[in-house]
Amino acid sequence: MAKTLHEKIWQAHCVKTLGEAEDLIYIDMHLLHEINTPQAFDSLRAANRTVRRPDLTVATVDHNTPTSSIALLEGDELRSNQIDLLRDNSAEFGIPFHMLGEAGQGITHVIAPEQGLVLPGTTVVCCDSHTTTHGAFAALAFGIGTSQVEHVLATQTLRLQKFKSFRITVKNSLPAGVSAKDLALAIIRRIGTGGGIGHVIEYAGEAIHSLSMEARMTLCNMSVEGGASAGIIGVDDVTIDYLRKVYAAKGRPLTEEDVEGWRSFVSDPDAVFDKEIVIDAAALDESVTWGTNPSQSITFDESIPAVSDYEDASQQLAAERAFEYMDLQPGQTLRDLSINKVFVGSCTNGRIEDLRVVAGVLEGHKVHPDVHLLIVPGSVQVRDQAIREGLDEIFHAAGADFRPLPGCSLCCGLNEDQMKAGQRSVSTSNRNFEGRQGAGARTHIASPAVAAASAIIGRIARPSDLEAWGKAE
Amino acid sequence: MSRAQISGCGVPLVRNNVDTDQIIPARFCYKAQRVGHADSLFGNWRQDPSFVLNDARYAGNAILVAGREFATGSSREYAVWAIKDYGFKVVIAESFGDIFYKNAILNDVLPLKTTEQGVETLWEILGRDPQASIHIDLDKETIMIEDHVLPAIMDEHFKRKYILNLDDIAQTLEEIESIKAFESSRNRHLATTVHRGV
Ligand code: SF4
């Protein structure tokens, strides 16, 4: 019978069918970070259990770590404690651990693909909802809670119920300047924040296959903002070329059989999906969120909707709350909004390609005096590459705050980077929830290009606004 | 009485799309234990005196009733720990975030779905009568309040897991021979994090 890509991976990883609804699924790669794991190790020890496969497990610190200087950890007991616990737990069970600032450290979802830990047809889990990122490599990758982390540590498996399948076909190609982030926002706007619940979203169509791996990671990353359990994209030449480079850089052997095996990780042509929609890439434009959930976004040609524009009562309620929290009125446009902060980074847009886009927009400009532009590389490798390419010089010349250490930073506000109540940001991260970047902080989610243009103009803007703005100056 | 029957009073959280960042904001996620999170529950919203958890009439009520898409967002299990620590044994909502749903069952907090109409009925009654009692019967798949009988929606699989309160890891470790057999036939070229020294 014809199978979808995720069904193929599921079947190949089914250790045993446990009753009607549950399968025991083998996990090929398990990523750990400092916030959601200490309790799992404690329970493991209390039950006298051990880590079954440290060689399929990797740990790093990213969520709470400082990005300006390691010295900030001194005297910071709570954060240091979380970091120390992960380092000690990793040492105790033989799990490789990447310490802050050392080669290999960074946001889990940035480092795993860099290090070739994510391969087509494999299963990947992490105690973090944006594990969906790795679906870009035709891997079945999803976030789990701490109790499930303990389960994977002890057994290298998970007891899971089958996911449903949802194919989003994106036909035609994205217009120039419209990025994977804009596509992700458009999809979430269409399906809603709950549209993907219980489903693996498979992204298909010509627009998807013309995306780079970095762009695919951005798209799969935000699957969870549409409520999906995972996002996934079938293998094509772009996937294989990327992996060839990773293998070459690591000096790892790669056989043509491996490569041919990867090519089977696509959905069968006549596979049936539980849900399907088609999106026309050519009709999309740059988008930015205005509200407090990721489905509330508009383009530069639209204005903020009125409550009455929503038919559904719960969306009306959400919009009303969002107006109040975001201090906005219906009818305003994106360009009406002055900002104080721009954050470039996160597992959504903290990769080298994103930093290149930002440098491209910033070059020859200065960051607006009212704006603090924070650029945090997603990993040590991304930082080093940015420096090799001279992007750091462009950032410094523009007056941006380019951080030497990678991490989640202002995406979740767990380290020293937090916004104050009432401040307004444009961020390349993924969540515009109330309080996400600090209590009372107002977040607008956008692409790296929009973030960079906004940093220059001091209002929400896109790169094409720069020309007219430059003349007005 | 079996674990299939639960009775208690409710707290109406009249909001949709309550994400885990609201349930427990990240700045409260520094404790490295599973317990001690009760004060962090809805940490930001609780600053507002009119927030329902600050309403003394609902103190001690063990059933939280929220709207649709409850606890989507971050995978933080802290969200369940805070709900449990605070004293909630059940969360009723129209729908839940996937990860939270599993986290809840694994922590013995019952995540129970009902219809939109069901949520609205509960909100309306709890709004006017904080002591209205709710009777949940998982066998009959009902939620009863006053003279209303609302659907209690739970997949058989998760229902059984909750009622029997099974230890997942212990059960899986009983399958260890199957796991070993699977591992012995696994492709040896797959990525590892520790050099195997072949
Ligand atoms: S960058 Fe943000 S979304 Fe990504 S793992 Fe870190 S906190 Fe989570």
Side-chain angles (χ1 to χ4, degrees):
Chain A
M1 218 187 84
K3 289 184 217 134
T4 65
L5 169 54
H6 99 257
E7 286 166 349
K8 289 185 188 179
I9 302 174
W10 185 280
Q11 285 181 9
H13 287 78
C14 183
V15 172
K16 195 173 178 189
T17 297
L18 308 165
E20 264 171 46
E22 210 171 41
D23 284 344
L24 190 62
I25 297 295
Y26 199 80
I27 302 302
D28 292 315
M29 193 52 61
H30 187 196
L31 318 174
L32 304 172
H33 67 72
E34 77 283 8
I35 306 292
N36 294 336
T37 55
Q39 300 88 350
F41 282 103
D42 283 347
S43 306
L44 194 75
R45 264 189 296 269
N48 236 331
R49 291 170 181 149
T50 188
V51 176
R52 176 162 187 79
R53 294 296 299 265
D55 63 325
L56 302 182
T57 313
V58 66
T60 195
V61 288
D62 54 7
H63 277 65
N64 79 10
T65 52
T67 56
S68 41
S69 162
I70 290 185
L72 288 178
L73 284 176
E74 272 165 41
D76 185 343
E77 267 181 46
L78 290 170
R79 291 188 179 91
S80 302
N81 184 41
Q82 288 177 318
I83 293 172
D84 292 348
L85 282 172
L86 184 55
R87 183 173 48 196
D88 294 350
N89 286 326
S90 299
E92 180 179 341
F93 293 103
I95 297 167
F97 171 77
H98 298 292
M99 185 50 184
L100 181 58
E102 292 175 2
Q105 186 254 333
I107 304 172
T108 54
H109 311 313
V110 179
I111 65 166
E114 280 174 358
Q115 296 173 15
L117 301 181
V118 182
L119 300 177
T122 61
T123 52
V124 180
V125 297
C126 174
C127 47
D128 189 283
S129 55
H130 289 97
T131 310
T132 57
T133 309
H134 310 290
F137 292 86
L140 182 59
F142 48 93
I144 57 177
T146 304
S147 297
Q148 289 177 300
V149 167
E150 186 189 343
H151 195 286
V152 179
L153 290 173
T155 70
Q156 202 58 32
T157 63
L158 279 172
R159 308 171 78 93
L160 296 172
Q161 263 196 313
K162 285 203 175 70
F163 300 118
K164 288 190 273 219
S165 56
F166 182 177
R167 179 161 60 188
I168 299 184
T169 303
V170 189
K171 58 174 193 179
N172 296 322
S173 53
L174 290 168
V178 179
S179 70
K181 184 62 160 286
D182 301 301
L183 172 59
L185 289 174
I187 288 173
I188 298 158
R189 181 174 171 179
R190 165 102 173 255
I191 70 171
T193 53
I197 289 181
H199 291 77
V200 175
I201 296 180
E202 177 165 342
Y203 300 96
E206 5 165 358
I208 302 301
H209 292 290
S210 61
L211 296 175
S212 68
M213 287 314 291
E214 282 87 351
R216 294 178 192 193
M217 286 189 249
T218 302
L219 182 61
C220 287
N221 174 280
M222 289 196 70
S223 304
V224 67
E225 269 60 57
S229 304
I232 201 164
I233 297 174
V235 169
D236 62 11
D237 289 339
V238 178
T239 327
I240 288 170
D241 289 348
Y242 184 99
L243 288 169
R244 277 190 201 282
K245 281 190 199 121
V246 172
Y247 270 64
K250 302 281 159 203
R252 262 171 51 186
L254 177 63
T255 67
E256 281 316 300
E257 275 156 78
D258 292 329
V259 173
E260 282 318 304
W262 291 341
R263 287 195 194 274
S264 66
F265 294 110
V266 291
S267 285
D268 291 332
D270 43 354
V272 179
F273 290 77
D274 295 302
K275 223 161 137 178
E276 289 224 47
I277 60 168
V278 177
I279 285 188
D280 181 7
L284 300 182
D285 208 346
E286 289 147 297
S287 296
V288 180
T289 63
W290 59 267
T292 51
N293 80 53
S295 72
Q296 294 167 320
S297 67
I298 51 173
T299 63
F300 284 83
D301 298 329
E302 295 173 286
S303 51
I304 294 171
V307 171
S308 58
D309 291 342
Y310 290 102
E311 280 166 22
D312 171 304
S314 87
Q315 285 182 331
Q316 291 181 348
L317 196 72
E320 266 177 70
R321 275 196 65 80
F323 292 143
E324 191 188 322
Y325 183 84
M326 296 297 289
D327 188 25
L328 295 174
Q329 270 119 41
Q332 283 181 303
T333 65
L334 293 170
R335 294 188 184 92
D336 292 334
L337 305 176
S338 302
I339 53 165
N340 331 83
K341 185 76 99 179
V342 172
F343 170 55
V344 173
S346 88
C347 59
T348 313
N349 284 122
R351 299 187 178 77
I352 189 66
E353 190 174 89
D354 303 310
L355 267 48
R356 286 183 194 135
V357 166
V358 170
V361 176
L362 285 180
E363 196 160 17
H365 290 281
K366 286 268 180 219
V367 173
H368 192 277
D370 297 342
V371 175
H372 175 217
L373 167 58
L374 178 62
I375 304 176
V376 183
S379 68
V380 168
Q381 185 172 316
V382 169
R383 177 200 65 192
D384 291 349
Q385 180 68 24
I387 292 173
R388 265 197 297 278
E389 294 180 16
L391 306 185
D392 59 328
E393 286 170 25
I394 298 174
F395 298 151
H396 291 138
D401 181 2
F402 178 56
R403 293 288 169 85
L405 295 169
C408 301
S409 182
L410 194 56
C411 174
C412 57
L414 273 166
N415 72 347
E416 74 277 17
D417 298 311
Q418 294 176 14
M419 284 166 59
K420 296 193 188 69
Q423 283 192 321
R424 190 181 293 285
S425 78
V426 172
S427 294
T428 66
S429 47
N430 43 57
R431 289 188 173 138
N432 52 342
F433 297 154
E434 285 182 27
R436 173 84 178 177
Q437 296 183 299
R442 299 173 178 137
T443 306
H444 297 271
I445 300 295
S447 69
V450 165
S454 304
I456 297 164
I457 297 184
R459 291 167 175 269
I460 301 182
R462 54 176 166 183
S464 58
D465 293 340
L466 281 169
E467 206 185 320
W469 176 83
K471 284 184 193 130
E473 271 288 46
Chain B
M1 210 159 57
S2 109
R3 284 168 52 87
Q5 281 84 36
I6 304 141
S7 296
C9 296
V11 177
L13 180 68
V14 187
R15 283 178 200 192
N16 293 307
N17 304 103
V18 175
D19 55 76
T20 51
D21 273 81
Q22 309 314 319
I23 298 173
I24 180 165
R27 66 194 157 91
F28 295 103
C29 299
Y30 289 114
K31 289 199 189 94
Q33 291 82 31
R34 284 174 188 262
V35 293
H37 306 286
D39 292 342
S40 310
L41 181 64
F42 299 114
N44 288 340
W45 289 349
R46 265 161 94 179
Q47 313 296 319
D48 171 4
S50 69
F51 182 60
V52 67
L53 287 199
N54 294 326
D55 186 336
R57 295 175 303 154
Y58 295 98
N61 293 5
I63 302 174
L64 182 67
V65 183
R68 82 166 61 152
E69 293 170 27
F70 182 75
T72 49
S74 142
S75 65
R76 59 186 73 156
E77 202 158 309
Y78 294 87
V80 176
W81 298 332
I83 285 173
K84 183 176 180 171
D85 258 1
Y86 187 83
F88 288 115
K89 296 190 165 49
V90 181
V91 183
I92 300 176
E94 193 188 332
S95 56
F96 292 90
D98 282 347
I99 304 176
F100 176 89
Y101 193 84
K102 287 198 191 107
N103 285 346
I105 291 176
L106 292 171
N107 284 279
D108 201 24
V109 169
L110 175 64
L112 194 58
K113 290 183 221 169
T114 190
T115 54
E116 182 176 3
Q117 183 60 43
V119 167
E120 273 164 19
T121 304
L122 289 163
W123 280 350
E124 189 270 318
I125 296 171
L126 297 175
R128 63 176 152 77
D129 180 7
Q131 292 311 313
S133 58
I134 301 174
H135 302 284
I136 295 165
D137 189 326
L138 292 178
D139 293 329
K140 293 200 191 113
E141 304 188 342
T142 55
I143 301 170
M144 294 201 289
I145 184 162
E146 294 187 337
D147 52 358
H148 298 268
V149 181
L150 312 169
I153 305 167
M154 193 170 195
D155 173 292
E156 280 305 317
H157 166 73
F158 286 120
K159 195 196 285 184
R160 183 170 165 274
K161 205 168 252 218
Y162 175 80
I163 293 174
L164 301 178
N165 198 14
L166 301 169
D167 175 350
D168 265 11
I169 299 180
Q171 279 194 76
T172 299
L173 286 172
E174 286 174 17
E175 310 291 348
I176 199 72
E177 291 309 320
S178 304
I179 296 174
K180 285 183 186 163
F182 181 93
E183 283 176 333
S184 65
S185 62
R186 214 174 146 258
N187 179 354
R188 289 183 54 78
H189 292 292
L190 290 175
T192 58
T193 57
V194 182
H195 184 56
R196 280 208 203 84
V198 187

